[in-house]
């Protein structure tokens, strides 16, 4: 039994109750629009089968019907009605600004990375790596899983989707896209989000938010935060949304809710705000409890409450501020400023300088050196500002994050230990002194140097960031933990409006209260050179025109201190552009290098000579001047994400221009061509970036991130056994106080033509073992010396058919390239072997005959000498005694008297032999003296 309009209605039988009696059991919806643009309003029970007797369908409003902002569609009578107080509506849209849980219609999905199967077992489960609602916003994952936040909506008309987000860390890839009912996504180029540092940016036309982190280093990246998602084009909303806590709507028909004033609060759906209790404080529409005594934050002269002030000193037990200290004389103004009658510091006029007291005009022949030098911290300089960035929701809190303290500026307490204490300095632009010629090849236009120290009890972090032309800041250096007093210099290479930011975070973990307010950073001094419209602390000599005014020297000229005249630097030296005084400003180039035409840098022209083993080796690396890239072996994060260290090298040539480029396409995918100069890409002689393959991330392109310069200055080319290339980077880090050094060793390998192959040491797969010195091995045929006559030898063939050939071949193994070519084959006429044999036999025969004749001649000569000798002996003997008379000396008829004296005859040898054999036995021997002859006895024939 139920009472309805004063009547008692009894239901007969057992069955479901009638739905039209209880409107809380059903609601109204519209059917899909037909081809005529019509639809029906139908009643749908909240729980199917719970009741029967639903109201009949009736004709609905046109599909294009919509209500205005601040109204909702009452489905009962299908008319627009204003929202009640404390509620609001967007008319044709809906907004999601409360994230205590995922709103109805949203879904968060996590997936594993697409990596090698061999690493699938080591992957952690990604089911918990989802988008997490955290009250005012929803936060992304921070690991290597892919998390997708989705919202499905059925738009009745063309609409938009807007949201606010913060994207602080480029180690996370953040994309958004829309898919229609044909599953067609938006244009590929529009899905990549840009990183932000200053508050929330606005995005449009989005229904998918997807993030993937790649934490290459041990540091956990900061999540992406999304809030205030608004969707238009839903044609109608059937209810109004209550104002969230801290806001209110005082009138009906509101399209938005207003924030409560300071020191007031409101609950959800409020129509007005209430004042906080006397011992409470409100800064965001929510009152906090009474405060505890704060930690004193003092300057040299007075104490003040730490901001935000979350306590009241009016309570009986409250602690009061300590009395101010004794007033002391204020320190002077910063260099380039002077003190006015009101004790304020003002910049000196143009053409003058100061040390912080009074302004002095620059002398003739000198010019002021403009810049900013802050070393006295009485007040915050006009071009600097400070604030606090929440470490929870990354909103600015509107309180000071740094305090001045005379000799230094230090970090304030902040609202929470994980807040970021922000200090920002803006410089409008840069201009070198009049005496320095603009150098298009040397990219340094100015530099900033600051002295600091940190004192931390936990793992605090100090970030130094640089922004260009209002673009988001880019972290360039980070210091962790306590650091002693030290200086850091950053080279500025773009003449643009620059912002420099120091951000200090005591701890990355959020805890109630403030435990580490004593962890601070002190900045002692900041010095920026060549600032446009800056101030001067001194004047410098300049080159003089005939009129006596300052001018700039031609490129590659230094200034003579005595005369102010310009003199060119000697060959193979480069000029210190910002200190061009005296000949010592021209610095000699390193070995194997020479200066460019304007003496702004040293480079190698791809040629090199070396004396070794008594010969001169000539090298030509002209095949290697352009940028050459290669990737080291794969590395993996703790969750198995595969990535590579990608290196780009520009070895020589190009007149010293840096040709190696490493990009950051995570944040630069949407950088237009007109903004290319403000990209986060790095151009150098050697650079490195982190590459995540496209098959790993599931995108159409590879991911390149975290580019860094490894060499932006050529030191020199050295010789054997080093055979390498030396470069140096001016990027100073905590572990590399002198910058990074790069050594490239070239090895001759004739089999590796073209650019050859680059590799890193096997013991240091990242190219470095200490993070400061990088080593590369380049094996290529272009590293071989130029060929010379020493590298080939001649081979002479046999004489065939009167022809002889001389062929030249390379010595093996051939370790040279280019240079002198092999000589052409030589052909010469030659004599055959038969001819020379005949000539040899004839010559031998002639020599034998000649030898025989000579032998005979000398034998005959010898016999004559013997005869003369015998005659002399006989003459000497005849005087002493007389020889016996011969038996008979008569000459027989027919005999010749000379036949018996065969040794005295003048016959030939054969004739003498013949006479001797025929007559020596027939006649006695006779010896004649004068006219008488005597026959000798046989016993004296020896005479």
């Amino acid at each position: 039994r139920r009472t309805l309009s004063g009547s008692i209605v009894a239901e007969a039988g057992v069955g479901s109750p009638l739905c039209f009696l209880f409107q809380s059991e059903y609601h109204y919806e519209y059917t899909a629009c037909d081809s005529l643009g019509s639809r029906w309003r139908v009643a749908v029970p909240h729980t199917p089968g719970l009741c029967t007797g639903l109201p009949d369908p009736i004709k609905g409003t046109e599909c294009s019907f919509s209500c205005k902002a601040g109204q909702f569609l009452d489905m009962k009578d299908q008319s627009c009605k204003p929202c009640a107080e404390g509620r609001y509506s967007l008319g044709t849209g809906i907004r999601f600004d409360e994230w205590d849980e995922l709103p109805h219609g949203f879904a968060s999905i996590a997936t594993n990375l697409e990596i090698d199967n061999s690493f699938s077992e080591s992957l952690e489960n990604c089911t918990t790596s989802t988008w997490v609602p955290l009250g005012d916003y929803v936060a992304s994952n921070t690991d290597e899983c892919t998390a997708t936040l989705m919202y499905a909506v059925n738009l009745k008309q063309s609409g938009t989707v807007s949201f606010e987000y913060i994207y602080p860390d480029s180690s996370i890839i953040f994309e958004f896209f829309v898919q229609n009912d044909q599953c067609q996504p938006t244009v590929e180029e529009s899905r990549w989000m840009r990183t932000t540092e200053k508050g929330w940016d606005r995005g449009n036309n989005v229904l998918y938010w997807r993030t993937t982190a790649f934490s290459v280093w041990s540091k956990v990246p900061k999540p992406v935060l999304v809030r205030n998602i608004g969707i238009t084009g839903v044609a109608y909303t059937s209810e109004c949304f209550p104002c969230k806590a801290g806001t209110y709507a005082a009138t009906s028909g509101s399209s938005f809710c207003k924030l409560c004033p300071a020191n007031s609060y409101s609950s959800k759906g409020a129509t007005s705000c209430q004042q906080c209790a006397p011992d409470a404080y409100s800064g965001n529409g929510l009152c906090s409890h009474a405060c505890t005594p704060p930690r004193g934050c003092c300057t040299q002269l007075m104490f003040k409450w730490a901001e935000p002030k979350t306590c009241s000193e009016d309570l009986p037990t409250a602690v009061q501020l300590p009395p101010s200290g004794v007033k002391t004389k204020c320190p002077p103004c910063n260099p380039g400023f002077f003190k006015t009658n009101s004790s304020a510091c003002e910049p000196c006029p143009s053409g003058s300088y100061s040390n912080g007291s009074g302004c002095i005009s620059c002398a003739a022949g000198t010019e002021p050196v403009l810049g900013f030098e802050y070393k006295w911290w009485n007040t915050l300089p006009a071009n600097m500002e400070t604030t606090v960035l929440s470490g929870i929701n990354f909103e600015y809190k509107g309180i000071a994050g740094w305090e001045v303290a005379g000799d230094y500026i230090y970090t304030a307490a902040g609202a929470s230990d994980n807040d970021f204490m922000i200090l920002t300095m803006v410089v409008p632009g840069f201009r070198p002194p009049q005496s320095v010629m603009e150098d298009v090849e040397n990219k340094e236009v100015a530099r900033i140097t600051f002295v600091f120290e940190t004192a931390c009890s936990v793992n605090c972090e100090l970030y130094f960031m640089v922004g260009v032309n209002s673009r988001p800041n880019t972290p360039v250096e980070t210091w962790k933990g306590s650091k002693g007093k030290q200086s850091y210099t950053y080279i500025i290479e773009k003449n643009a409006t620059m912002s420099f930011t120091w951000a200090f975070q005591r701890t990355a973990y959020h805890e109630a209260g403030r435990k580490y307010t004593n962890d601070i950073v002190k900045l002692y001094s900041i010095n920026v050179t060549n600032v446009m419209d800056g101030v001067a602390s001194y004047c410098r000599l300049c080159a003089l025109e005939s009129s006596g005014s300052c001018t700039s020297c031609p490129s590659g000229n230094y200034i003579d201190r005595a005369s102010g005249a310009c003199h060119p630097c000697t060959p193979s030296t480069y000029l210190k552009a910002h200190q061009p005084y005296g000949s010592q400003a021209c610095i000699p180039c390193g070995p194997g290098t020479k200066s460019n035409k304007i003496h702004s840098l040293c480079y190698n022209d791809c040629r090199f000579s070396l004396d070794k083993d008594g010969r001169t080796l000539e090298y030509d690396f002209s095949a290697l001047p352009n940028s050459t890239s290669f990737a080291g072996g794969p590395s993996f994060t703790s969750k198995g994400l595969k990535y590579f260290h990608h290196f780009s090298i520009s070895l020589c040539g190009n007149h010293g221009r840096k040709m190696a480029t490493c990009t950051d396409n995570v944040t630069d995918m949407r950088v237009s061509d007109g903004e290319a100069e403000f990209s986060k890409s790095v151009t150098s002689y050697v650079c490195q970036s982190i590459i995540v393959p496209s098959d790993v991330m599931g995108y159409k392109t590879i991911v390149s991130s975290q580019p860094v310069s490894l060499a932006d200055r050529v030191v020199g080319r050295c010789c054997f056994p080093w055979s390498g290339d030396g470069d140096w980077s001016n990027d100073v880090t905590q572990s590399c106080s002198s910058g990074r050094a790069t050594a490239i060793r070239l090895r001759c390998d004739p089999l590796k033509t073209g650019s050859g192959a680059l590799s890193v040491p096997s013991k240091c797969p990242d190219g470095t073992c200490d993070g400061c010195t990088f080593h590369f091995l380049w094996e290529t045929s272009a590293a071989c010396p130029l060929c010379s006559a020493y590298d080939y030898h001649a081979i002479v063939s046999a004489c065939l058919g009167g022809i002889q050939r001389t062929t030249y071949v390379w010595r093996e193994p051939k370790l040279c390239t280019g240079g002198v070519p092999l000589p052409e084959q030589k052909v010469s006429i030659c004599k055959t072997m038969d001819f020379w044999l005949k000539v040899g036999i004839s010559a031998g025969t002639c020599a034998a005959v000649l030898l025989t004749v000579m032998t005979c001649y000398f034998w005959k000569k010898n016999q004559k000498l013997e005869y003369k000798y015998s005659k002399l002996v006989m003459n000497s003997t005849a005087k002493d005694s007389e020889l016996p008379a011969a038996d008979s000396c008569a000459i027989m008829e027919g005999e010749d008297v000379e036949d018996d004296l065969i040794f005295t005859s003048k016959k030939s040898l054969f004739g003498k032999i013949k006479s001797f054999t025929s007559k020596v036995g027939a006649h006695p021997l006779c010896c004649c003296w004068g006219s008488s002859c005597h026959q000798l006895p046989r016993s004296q024939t020896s005479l």
Side-chain angles (χ1 to χ4, degrees), residues 297 843 879:
C297 182
K879 295 177 181 181

Side-chain angles (χ1 to χ4, degrees), residues 745-871:
R745 289 169 170 81
L746 300 176
R747 177 177 294 172
C748 171
D749 190 339
L751 300 180
K752 296 181 179 179
T753 58
S755 59
L758 278 155
S759 60
V760 295
S762 58
K763 295 183 179 179
C764 305
D766 297 338
T768 178
C769 295
D770 58 3
C772 298
T773 303
F774 289 78
H775 297 272
F776 303 99
L777 176 62
W778 199 337
E779 298 176 287
T780 173
S781 60
C784 297
L786 297 179
C787 294
S788 64
Y790 176 84
D791 296 298
Y792 63 83
H793 62 93
I795 298 178
V796 181
S797 67
C799 184
L800 299 176
I803 300 297
Q804 190 174 55
R805 302 177 188 273
T806 303
T807 305
Y808 298 90
V809 296
W810 296 112
R811 298 182 188 274
E812 294 295 338
K814 182 187 176 185
L815 298 176
C816 66
T817 182
V820 177
L822 279 176
E824 297 290 338
Q825 187 184 64
K826 294 182 179 180
V827 178
S828 59
I829 300 175
C830 62
K831 301 297 183 178
T832 62
M833 190 63 186
D834 295 340
F835 172 81
W836 290 112
L837 183 60
K838 293 178 181 179
V839 171
I841 294 173
S842 300
T845 303
C846 293
V849 172
L850 179 61
L851 181 61
T852 302
V853 171
M854 291 179 65
T855 301
C856 295
Y857 170 77
F858 286 112
W859 180 82
K860 181 178 180 182
K861 198 78 172 176
N862 185 60
Q863 292 302 316
K864 288 183 176 182
L865 291 176
E866 288 184 359
Y867 168 73
K868 291 180 178 181
Y869 176 75
S870 299
K871 185 175 181 180

Side-chain angles (χ1 to χ4, degrees), residues 522-640:
K522 292 181 180 180
L523 269 176
Y524 292 95
S525 65
I526 301 175
N527 188 4
V528 187
T529 64
N530 299 341
V531 176
M532 184 183 299
D533 300 328
V535 296
S537 60
Y538 66 97
C539 295
R540 65 190 290 178
L541 291 173
C542 62
L544 298 177
E545 293 181 335
S546 58
S547 61
S549 60
C550 290
T551 185
S552 59
C553 287
S555 298
N557 282 248
Y558 66 89
I559 301 173
D560 187 351
R561 291 183 179 272
S563 63
C566 299
H567 298 281
C569 286
T570 57
S572 298
T573 61
Y574 69 96
L575 182 67
K576 294 171 60 177
H578 297 284
Q579 296 289 336
Y581 299 109
S583 58
Q584 64 272 16
C586 301
I587 304 174
C589 293
T593 64
K594 64 180 182 179
S595 60
N596 56 0
K597 293 182 179 179
I598 62 175
H599 293 270
S600 62
L601 53 84
C602 296
Y603 74 101
N604 180 265
D605 61 355
C606 297
R607 293 188 177 274
F608 183 71
S609 298
L610 175 68
D611 294 329
K612 183 176 184 292
D613 297 335
R615 58 177 296 208
T616 300
L617 300 178
E618 299 288 342
Y619 292 86
D620 185 2
F621 305 139
S622 57
L624 309 174
N626 298 323
S627 176
T628 302
S629 301
F630 79 103
S635 301
F636 300 88
T637 62
S638 59
K639 281 198 171 184

